[in-house]
Amino acid sequence: MSVFMVIQKLDSDYDDREGVGYEYPTSIPGGRQIEEGDYLICTRTANESVDGQRIIGLGRIEFITHYSKNGKEHAFAEYRMYREFEPPYTFDEIGGDPRRNMQHSMSRIPEEEGSRILETLLSGKRTYTTFVDKEAGITKDRPQTVQSVEEEV
């Protein structure tokens, strides 16, 4: 299992579907490395974020479909689980920006750093809405919001 950080632009030409899956050309850096079972940390660009809150969600890939689009190979990574954070996390809240190259729209996170970031994002210390959790029976049509642990106390 690997962890990748991906940019999900609001005006993207790709068929990204928040809470459902992420579309990407397989020719981009990291595009052939993503596998089923990996996590995608979904972010906004700096220009699309408010107060640096860029980490909007976390998805775990169930399966990847490959196909041709406009003469290029693309893939769609469909989530088995997806959480949307409210409010989104900042890079500071996860220990800084883990990307080695800020120009890439998809970046593999080193294993130890990825595990630490996942621990933070899955901790329940931030209110989140689960849009997909196939094991728990949660679907996009019936999302479940969980208040942060700190808010419940």
Side-chain angles (χ1 to χ4, degrees), residues 32-122:
R32 295 196 187 279
Q33 297 175 10
I34 288 183
E35 298 178 351
E36 294 167 356
D38 288 348
Y39 283 93
L40 299 185
I41 299 169
C42 300
T43 66
R44 291 281 186 238
T45 65
N47 291 338
E48 294 175 336
S49 69
V50 176
D51 297 328
Q53 296 174 316
R54 295 181 58 184
I55 301 170
I56 59 169
L58 175 69
R60 185 143 197 211
I61 300 169
E62 180 170 34
F63 58 86
I64 299 172
T65 306
H66 292 265
Y67 50 91
S68 180
K69 180 177 178 180
N70 300 325
K72 295 182 179 180
E73 184 183 359
H74 280 68
F76 187 81
E78 185 171 323
Y79 303 129
R80 94 171 77 157
M81 181 280 298
Y82 183 85
R83 287 183 177 183
E84 179 181 272
F85 304 112
E86 186 54 45
Y89 281 87
T90 65
F91 286 139
D92 287 343
E93 291 175 299
I94 64 164
D97 189 339
R99 298 173 298 164
R100 301 296 176 244
N101 186 327
M102 307 330 181
Q103 302 303 313
H104 293 169
S105 60
M106 177 183 293
S107 300
R108 179 183 227 133
I109 308 303
E111 186 175 344
E112 187 174 305
E113 199 168 7
S115 294
R116 181 185 51 75
I117 293 168
L118 283 180
E119 186 175 321
T120 298
L121 297 179
L122 294 170

